[in-house]
Amino acid sequence: EGFVDLLSNWYLRRNRRRFWKSEGDADKNAAYSTLHTCLVTVAKLMAPFAPFVSEEIYRNLAASVDTNLPESVHLADWPAADESLVEPQLDRDMAVLLQVTELGRSARAESGMKVRQPLAEMLVHVPGQEEQDALTRFMDELRDELNVKAVRFMEGSSGLVQYRLKPNLPVVGRKYGKLVPALRAVLEKLPQADAAAIVEQAKAGETFSLVVADQTLEMTGEEILIESSSPEGFAVAEEGGYVVALNTELTPELISEGLARDLVRTVQDARKDAGLQISDHIALFLQLPEALAAQLQPFLDYLKAETLADTVAFADTGAYTTTAELGDAEIAVGITKI
């Protein structure tokens, strides 16, 4: 299940430009060959519990194009793993990239900042040098996936995560009794550096000491509740020693680029609704307010490249036309297959 999710939500999406580019070079063929291998192998793996859809996939992609193969997926050999093809370092590095990407998405979701809106900067803290090297290796992919202009590494959370600690009353009530009010007061007055250290110990399953009413208490993570918050202008997410902080302040240029990316999505939806193939080229027609057209003007080359539009005209026409909202305006999008 995890593999199929990565194949569809990571590999296919990350490589869509390789699939739709017009030149049939080795890179494009490699992308299709990898996808073909994955789909045929998955069809064999799911044949015992999804017999009909796996048969359809196998016959379409394998048996129908190679008469030397078994005619049915249920007659094919069970896939055999070839360990020599595994690249452990690549796997480890990609796992770091996926971890940071997921945290970045979480930070965006919590702030209400959609992924198509470009951001100026992302600050990242990772557990060690190996993880930092992995992200450096895939820096272009990281910036593109989270739609940020720059990535900067930082030591610790650099104060970007604020912690508030409280006693977990159902757990500590019976254990500490009358000390609970004093414990609450101590936790609330902890300096941020001390609170962060306690959080790290708690997440690692370690005990920590607190002096409460002249008594030293040895406590565990189960005995406290942790609330975290981000300073204004940042969206922060953390897990397992990783911290991601997105600078959410928007400049006029970033807002305009975000509108251009929203328009790309609108055109892609229109292509799909019009029944076009992924590699079909189009003539694109746009009807929108003059001020909005001026905002989008610097991004026309990007719009054409992303939507396979050979031409863009500001007019209300096209073999297929639809309306949509872009920013605060309603626009018309027309497309004609070339």
Side-chain angles (χ1 to χ4, degrees):
E1 182 181 2
F3 172 77
V4 171
D5 179 67
L6 282 175
L7 178 65
S8 59
N9 292 323
W10 184 261
Y11 180 78
L12 279 176
R13 190 169 48 74
R14 291 294 314 160
N15 290 280
R16 62 188 184 276
R17 291 179 180 84
R18 299 172 70 195
F19 292 118
W20 75 32
K21 64 181 179 179
S22 55
E23 57 271 27
D25 56 11
D27 178 66
K28 181 175 182 176
N29 292 334
Y32 274 110
S33 177
T34 299
L35 179 59
H36 183 273
T37 299
C38 291
L39 292 175
V40 173
T41 304
V42 168
K44 294 177 182 178
L45 292 172
M46 71 182 186
F49 59 90
F52 300 110
V53 68
S54 61
E55 180 76 344
E56 182 78 4
I57 294 172
Y58 176 84
R59 290 196 181 190
N60 284 341
L61 296 180
S64 65
V65 295
D66 188 346
T67 57
N68 294 319
L69 294 174
E71 63 177 342
S72 169
V73 71
H74 304 293
L75 299 176
D77 289 337
W78 186 256
D82 185 352
E83 298 291 343
S84 67
L85 298 177
V86 176
E87 295 187 37
Q89 187 63 52
L90 178 60
D91 275 350
R92 289 192 293 270
D93 291 350
M94 185 58 65
V96 173
L97 174 63
L98 289 169
Q99 171 84 352
V100 173
T101 298
E102 189 61 34
L103 284 176
R105 289 173 181 163
S106 297
R108 274 186 174 271
E110 187 172 337
S111 69
M113 193 73 67
K114 56 190 176 184
V115 176
R116 289 193 298 276
Q117 174 58 61
L119 299 176
E121 185 181 43
M122 178 173 74
L123 308 179
V124 180
H125 169 73
V126 293
Q129 187 61 46
E130 185 176 352
E131 290 81 4
Q132 184 167 323
D133 291 343
L135 286 186
T136 301
R137 176 181 183 180
F138 291 116
M139 188 60 71
D140 289 342
E141 287 77 7
L142 179 62
R143 285 196 300 263
D144 184 59
E145 188 64 22
L146 292 176
N147 198 8
V148 296
K149 300 298 184 182
V151 175
R152 181 158 54 92
F153 292 105
M154 59 180 177
E155 293 294 329
S157 62
S158 298
L160 289 172
V161 183
Q162 302 292 318
Y163 295 107
R164 184 182 180 190
L165 307 184
K166 299 179 180 179
N168 187 357
L169 295 179
V171 177
V172 303
R174 294 180 181 178
K175 185 174 181 180
Y176 299 119
K178 295 180 180 180
L179 282 178
V180 170
L183 173 60
R184 179 187 288 109
V186 169
L187 289 173
E188 288 180 350
K189 294 178 181 178
L190 280 175
Q192 277 299 309
D194 294 343
I198 288 175
V199 169
E200 289 300 315
Q201 290 173 292
K203 290 182 176 180
E206 302 172 357
T207 61
F208 56 91
S209 301
L210 277 180
V211 177
V212 178
D214 298 326
Q215 297 186 44
T216 301
L217 307 182
E218 291 294 327
M219 303 185 64
T220 67
E222 294 180 349
E223 296 173 334
I224 59 172
L225 300 176
I226 302 171
E227 296 179 358
S228 60
S229 60
S230 310
E232 186 175 353
F234 285 90
V236 181
E238 59 171 334
E239 184 179 348
Y242 292 83
V243 180
V244 170
L246 296 172
N247 185 337
T248 56
E249 294 184 2
L250 298 179
T251 63
E253 292 77 15
L254 290 173
I255 293 172
S256 295
E257 186 176 344
L259 290 172
R261 288 176 175 265
D262 281 339
L263 180 56
V264 167
R265 175 61 181 270
T266 299
V267 176
Q268 300 290 35
D269 289 343
R271 287 178 57 101
K272 187 184 303 181
D273 294 340
L276 297 182
Q277 298 297 313
I278 189 173
S279 57
D280 287 341
H281 284 240
I282 63 170
L284 177 62
F285 304 92
L286 300 172
Q287 186 181 46
L288 60 163
E290 186 176 339
L292 185 55
Q295 274 187 281
L296 295 171
Q297 196 69 37
F299 304 100
L300 289 187
D301 288 341
Y302 162 76
L303 175 63
K304 291 164 69 174
E306 289 295 306
T307 62
L308 295 188
D310 291 357
T311 60
V312 178
F314 291 95
D316 183 14
T317 184
Y320 176 86
T321 303
T322 185
T323 59
E325 289 186 359
L326 185 63
D328 297 326
E330 183 172 289
I331 68 170
V333 175
I335 57 177
T336 298
K337 178 181 174 181
I338 297 178

PDB file of all heavy atoms in Angstrom, residues 314-336:
ATOM      1  N   PHE A 314      -5.524  36.763 -25.163  1.00  0.00           N
ATOM      2  CA  PHE A 314      -6.492  37.287 -24.198  1.00  0.00           C
ATOM      3  C   PHE A 314      -7.796  37.567 -24.945  1.00  0.00           C
ATOM      4  O   PHE A 314      -8.063  38.679 -25.395  1.00  0.00           O
ATOM      5  CB  PHE A 314      -5.940  38.533 -23.516  1.00  0.00           C
ATOM      6  CG  PHE A 314      -4.793  38.228 -22.597  1.00  0.00           C
ATOM      7  CD1 PHE A 314      -3.482  38.346 -23.040  1.00  0.00           C
ATOM      8  CD2 PHE A 314      -5.022  37.791 -21.302  1.00  0.00           C
ATOM      9  CE1 PHE A 314      -2.414  38.044 -22.202  1.00  0.00           C
ATOM     10  CE2 PHE A 314      -3.973  37.494 -20.452  1.00  0.00           C
ATOM     11  CZ  PHE A 314      -2.663  37.613 -20.908  1.00  0.00           C
ATOM     12  N   ALA A 315      -8.587  36.507 -25.108  1.00  0.00           N
ATOM     13  CA  ALA A 315      -9.856  36.597 -25.821  1.00  0.00           C
ATOM     14  C   ALA A 315     -10.764  35.474 -25.334  1.00  0.00           C
ATOM     15  O   ALA A 315     -10.311  34.455 -24.813  1.00  0.00           O
ATOM     16  CB  ALA A 315      -9.640  36.481 -27.327  1.00  0.00           C
ATOM     17  N   ASP A 316     -12.059  35.672 -25.516  1.00  0.00           N
ATOM     18  CA  ASP A 316     -13.052  34.690 -25.066  1.00  0.00           C
ATOM     19  C   ASP A 316     -13.430  33.801 -26.235  1.00  0.00           C
ATOM     20  O   ASP A 316     -14.347  34.105 -26.998  1.00  0.00           O
ATOM     21  CB  ASP A 316     -14.287  35.399 -24.510  1.00  0.00           C
ATOM     22  CG  ASP A 316     -15.314  34.406 -23.962  1.00  0.00           C
ATOM     23  OD1 ASP A 316     -14.944  33.238 -23.775  1.00  0.00           O
ATOM     24  OD2 ASP A 316     -16.457  34.814 -23.732  1.00  0.00           O
ATOM     25  N   THR A 317     -12.680  32.717 -26.428  1.00  0.00           N
ATOM     26  CA  THR A 317     -12.970  31.786 -27.521  1.00  0.00           C
ATOM     27  C   THR A 317     -12.358  30.435 -27.167  1.00  0.00           C
ATOM     28  O   THR A 317     -11.927  30.222 -26.047  1.00  0.00           O
ATOM     29  CB  THR A 317     -12.414  32.320 -28.853  1.00  0.00           C
ATOM     30  OG1 THR A 317     -12.795  31.430 -29.903  1.00  0.00           O
ATOM     31  CG2 THR A 317     -10.899  32.425 -28.812  1.00  0.00           C
ATOM     32  N   GLY A 318     -12.326  29.525 -28.133  1.00  0.00           N
ATOM     33  CA  GLY A 318     -11.780  28.204 -27.878  1.00  0.00           C
ATOM     34  C   GLY A 318     -12.813  27.121 -28.118  1.00  0.00           C
ATOM     35  O   GLY A 318     -14.018  27.331 -27.940  1.00  0.00           O
ATOM     36  N   ALA A 319     -12.342  25.949 -28.551  1.00  0.00           N
ATOM     37  CA  ALA A 319     -13.252  24.832 -28.800  1.00  0.00           C
ATOM     38  C   ALA A 319     -13.912  24.361 -27.510  1.00  0.00           C
ATOM     39  O   ALA A 319     -15.035  23.871 -27.515  1.00  0.00           O
ATOM     40  CB  ALA A 319     -12.493  23.688 -29.459  1.00  0.00           C
ATOM     41  N   TYR A 320     -13.188  24.490 -26.397  1.00  0.00           N
ATOM     42  CA  TYR A 320     -13.756  24.160 -25.087  1.00  0.00           C
ATOM     43  C   TYR A 320     -13.541  25.362 -24.182  1.00  0.00           C
ATOM     44  O   TYR A 320     -12.421  25.869 -24.068  1.00  0.00           O
ATOM     45  CB  TYR A 320     -13.092  22.923 -24.486  1.00  0.00           C
ATOM     46  CG  TYR A 320     -13.583  22.610 -23.093  1.00  0.00           C
ATOM     47  CD1 TYR A 320     -14.718  21.844 -22.884  1.00  0.00           C
ATOM     48  CD2 TYR A 320     -12.911  23.122 -21.977  1.00  0.00           C
ATOM     49  CE1 TYR A 320     -15.185  21.569 -21.608  1.00  0.00           C
ATOM     50  CE2 TYR A 320     -13.372  22.854 -20.691  1.00  0.00           C
ATOM     51  CZ  TYR A 320     -14.506  22.086 -20.519  1.00  0.00           C
ATOM     52  OH  TYR A 320     -14.975  21.822 -19.246  1.00  0.00           O
ATOM     53  N   THR A 321     -14.600  25.846 -23.550  1.00  0.00           N
ATOM     54  CA  THR A 321     -14.515  27.023 -22.690  1.00  0.00           C
ATOM     55  C   THR A 321     -15.158  26.734 -21.348  1.00  0.00           C
ATOM     56  O   THR A 321     -16.192  26.071 -21.278  1.00  0.00           O
ATOM     57  CB  THR A 321     -15.213  28.236 -23.339  1.00  0.00           C
ATOM     58  OG1 THR A 321     -14.631  28.481 -24.618  1.00  0.00           O
ATOM     59  CG2 THR A 321     -15.053  29.482 -22.477  1.00  0.00           C
ATOM     60  N   THR A 322     -14.528  27.234 -20.286  1.00  0.00           N
ATOM     61  CA  THR A 322     -15.075  27.082 -18.947  1.00  0.00           C
ATOM     62  C   THR A 322     -14.795  28.357 -18.158  1.00  0.00           C
ATOM     63  O   THR A 322     -13.957  29.172 -18.565  1.00  0.00           O
ATOM     64  CB  THR A 322     -14.466  25.869 -18.225  1.00  0.00           C
ATOM     65  OG1 THR A 322     -15.109  25.676 -16.958  1.00  0.00           O
ATOM     66  CG2 THR A 322     -12.977  26.072 -17.982  1.00  0.00           C
ATOM     67  N   THR A 323     -15.485  28.530 -17.063  1.00  0.00           N
ATOM     68  CA  THR A 323     -15.250  29.684 -16.193  1.00  0.00           C
ATOM     69  C   THR A 323     -14.693  29.202 -14.863  1.00  0.00           C
ATOM     70  O   THR A 323     -14.907  28.048 -14.459  1.00  0.00           O
ATOM     71  CB  THR A 323     -16.544  30.482 -15.947  1.00  0.00           C
ATOM     72  OG1 THR A 323     -17.518  29.619 -15.340  1.00  0.00           O
ATOM     73  CG2 THR A 323     -17.081  31.046 -17.248  1.00  0.00           C
ATOM     74  N   ALA A 324     -13.968  30.092 -14.198  1.00  0.00           N
ATOM     75  CA  ALA A 324     -13.361  29.736 -12.916  1.00  0.00           C
ATOM     76  C   ALA A 324     -13.073  31.013 -12.149  1.00  0.00           C
ATOM     77  O   ALA A 324     -13.109  32.119 -12.713  1.00  0.00           O
ATOM     78  CB  ALA A 324     -12.083  28.936 -13.125  1.00  0.00           C
ATOM     79  N   GLU A 325     -12.776  30.865 -10.861  1.00  0.00           N
ATOM     80  CA  GLU A 325     -12.363  31.993 -10.036  1.00  0.00           C
ATOM     81  C   GLU A 325     -10.846  31.999  -9.912  1.00  0.00           C
ATOM     82  O   GLU A 325     -10.231  30.964  -9.681  1.00  0.00           O
ATOM     83  CB  GLU A 325     -13.000  31.908  -8.648  1.00  0.00           C
ATOM     84  CG  GLU A 325     -14.501  32.174  -8.651  1.00  0.00           C
ATOM     85  CD  GLU A 325     -15.081  32.239  -7.250  1.00  0.00           C
ATOM     86  OE1 GLU A 325     -14.303  32.059  -6.285  1.00  0.00           O
ATOM     87  OE2 GLU A 325     -16.290  32.462  -7.127  1.00  0.00           O
ATOM     88  N   LEU A 326     -10.261  33.169 -10.085  1.00  0.00           N
ATOM     89  CA  LEU A 326      -8.822  33.338  -9.929  1.00  0.00           C
ATOM     90  C   LEU A 326      -8.594  34.558  -9.060  1.00  0.00           C
ATOM     91  O   LEU A 326      -8.896  35.685  -9.467  1.00  0.00           O
ATOM     92  CB  LEU A 326      -8.135  33.509 -11.287  1.00  0.00           C
ATOM     93  CG  LEU A 326      -6.610  33.568 -11.260  1.00  0.00           C
ATOM     94  CD1 LEU A 326      -6.031  32.263 -10.738  1.00  0.00           C
ATOM     95  CD2 LEU A 326      -6.051  33.881 -12.642  1.00  0.00           C
ATOM     96  N   GLY A 327      -8.110  34.344  -7.843  1.00  0.00           N
ATOM     97  CA  GLY A 327      -8.038  35.428  -6.886  1.00  0.00           C
ATOM     98  C   GLY A 327      -9.444  35.881  -6.552  1.00  0.00           C
ATOM     99  O   GLY A 327     -10.294  35.079  -6.173  1.00  0.00           O
ATOM    100  N   ASP A 328      -9.719  37.160  -6.737  1.00  0.00           N
ATOM    101  CA  ASP A 328     -11.049  37.705  -6.472  1.00  0.00           C
ATOM    102  C   ASP A 328     -11.879  37.867  -7.739  1.00  0.00           C
ATOM    103  O   ASP A 328     -12.987  38.409  -7.694  1.00  0.00           O
ATOM    104  CB  ASP A 328     -10.932  39.070  -5.776  1.00  0.00           C
ATOM    105  CG  ASP A 328     -10.249  38.951  -4.416  1.00  0.00           C
ATOM    106  OD1 ASP A 328     -10.448  37.919  -3.750  1.00  0.00           O
ATOM    107  OD2 ASP A 328      -9.519  39.895  -4.027  1.00  0.00           O
ATOM    108  N   ALA A 329     -11.344  37.419  -8.877  1.00  0.00           N
ATOM    109  CA  ALA A 329     -12.022  37.646 -10.156  1.00  0.00           C
ATOM    110  C   ALA A 329     -12.550  36.355 -10.755  1.00  0.00           C
ATOM    111  O   ALA A 329     -12.043  35.260 -10.476  1.00  0.00           O
ATOM    112  CB  ALA A 329     -11.055  38.300 -11.139  1.00  0.00           C
ATOM    113  N   GLU A 330     -13.595  36.491 -11.586  1.00  0.00           N
ATOM    114  CA  GLU A 330     -14.076  35.358 -12.361  1.00  0.00           C
ATOM    115  C   GLU A 330     -13.499  35.472 -13.767  1.00  0.00           C
ATOM    116  O   GLU A 330     -13.548  36.539 -14.389  1.00  0.00           O
ATOM    117  CB  GLU A 330     -15.603  35.337 -12.420  1.00  0.00           C
ATOM    118  CG  GLU A 330     -16.132  34.114 -13.168  1.00  0.00           C
ATOM    119  CD  GLU A 330     -17.646  33.972 -13.085  1.00  0.00           C
ATOM    120  OE1 GLU A 330     -18.141  33.650 -11.981  1.00  0.00           O
ATOM    121  OE2 GLU A 330     -18.294  34.191 -14.104  1.00  0.00           O
ATOM    122  N   ILE A 331     -12.948  34.379 -14.269  1.00  0.00           N
ATOM    123  CA  ILE A 331     -12.293  34.403 -15.571  1.00  0.00           C
ATOM    124  C   ILE A 331     -12.906  33.345 -16.474  1.00  0.00           C
ATOM    125  O   ILE A 331     -13.595  32.428 -16.006  1.00  0.00           O
ATOM    126  CB  ILE A 331     -10.767  34.170 -15.443  1.00  0.00           C
ATOM    127  CG1 ILE A 331     -10.499  32.727 -14.983  1.00  0.00           C
ATOM    128  CG2 ILE A 331     -10.138  35.184 -14.500  1.00  0.00           C
ATOM    129  CD1 ILE A 331      -9.035  32.334 -15.051  1.00  0.00           C
ATOM    130  N   ALA A 332     -12.629  33.454 -17.770  1.00  0.00           N
ATOM    131  CA  ALA A 332     -13.031  32.447 -18.754  1.00  0.00           C
ATOM    132  C   ALA A 332     -11.759  31.849 -19.347  1.00  0.00           C
ATOM    133  O   ALA A 332     -10.822  32.567 -19.698  1.00  0.00           O
ATOM    134  CB  ALA A 332     -13.901  33.056 -19.830  1.00  0.00           C
ATOM    135  N   VAL A 333     -11.733  30.520 -19.456  1.00  0.00           N
ATOM    136  CA  VAL A 333     -10.593  29.795 -20.010  1.00  0.00           C
ATOM    137  C   VAL A 333     -11.075  29.002 -21.212  1.00  0.00           C
ATOM    138  O   VAL A 333     -11.998  28.184 -21.095  1.00  0.00           O
ATOM    139  CB  VAL A 333      -9.965  28.851 -18.969  1.00  0.00           C
ATOM    140  CG1 VAL A 333      -8.858  28.022 -19.607  1.00  0.00           C
ATOM    141  CG2 VAL A 333      -9.413  29.649 -17.798  1.00  0.00           C
ATOM    142  N   GLY A 334     -10.472  29.251 -22.373  1.00  0.00           N
ATOM    143  CA  GLY A 334     -10.814  28.508 -23.576  1.00  0.00           C
ATOM    144  C   GLY A 334      -9.606  27.769 -24.100  1.00  0.00           C
ATOM    145  O   GLY A 334      -8.481  28.292 -24.069  1.00  0.00           O
ATOM    146  N   ILE A 335      -9.791  26.546 -24.565  1.00  0.00           N
ATOM    147  CA  ILE A 335      -8.678  25.763 -25.122  1.00  0.00           C
ATOM    148  C   ILE A 335      -9.109  25.120 -26.425  1.00  0.00           C
ATOM    149  O   ILE A 335     -10.248  24.703 -26.592  1.00  0.00           O
ATOM    150  CB  ILE A 335      -8.172  24.683 -24.141  1.00  0.00           C
ATOM    151  CG1 ILE A 335      -9.298  23.736 -23.739  1.00  0.00           C
ATOM    152  CG2 ILE A 335      -7.529  25.293 -22.921  1.00  0.00           C
ATOM    153  CD1 ILE A 335      -8.845  22.598 -22.837  1.00  0.00           C
ATOM    154  N   THR A 336      -8.167  25.055 -27.355  1.00  0.00           N
ATOM    155  CA  THR A 336      -8.363  24.381 -28.631  1.00  0.00           C
ATOM    156  C   THR A 336      -7.159  23.497 -28.888  1.00  0.00           C
ATOM    157  O   THR A 336      -6.015  23.962 -28.803  1.00  0.00           O
ATOM    158  CB  THR A 336      -8.519  25.400 -29.789  1.00  0.00           C
ATOM    159  OG1 THR A 336      -9.672  26.201 -29.553  1.00  0.00           O
ATOM    160  CG2 THR A 336      -8.663  24.675 -31.122  1.00  0.00           C
TER     161      THR A 336
END
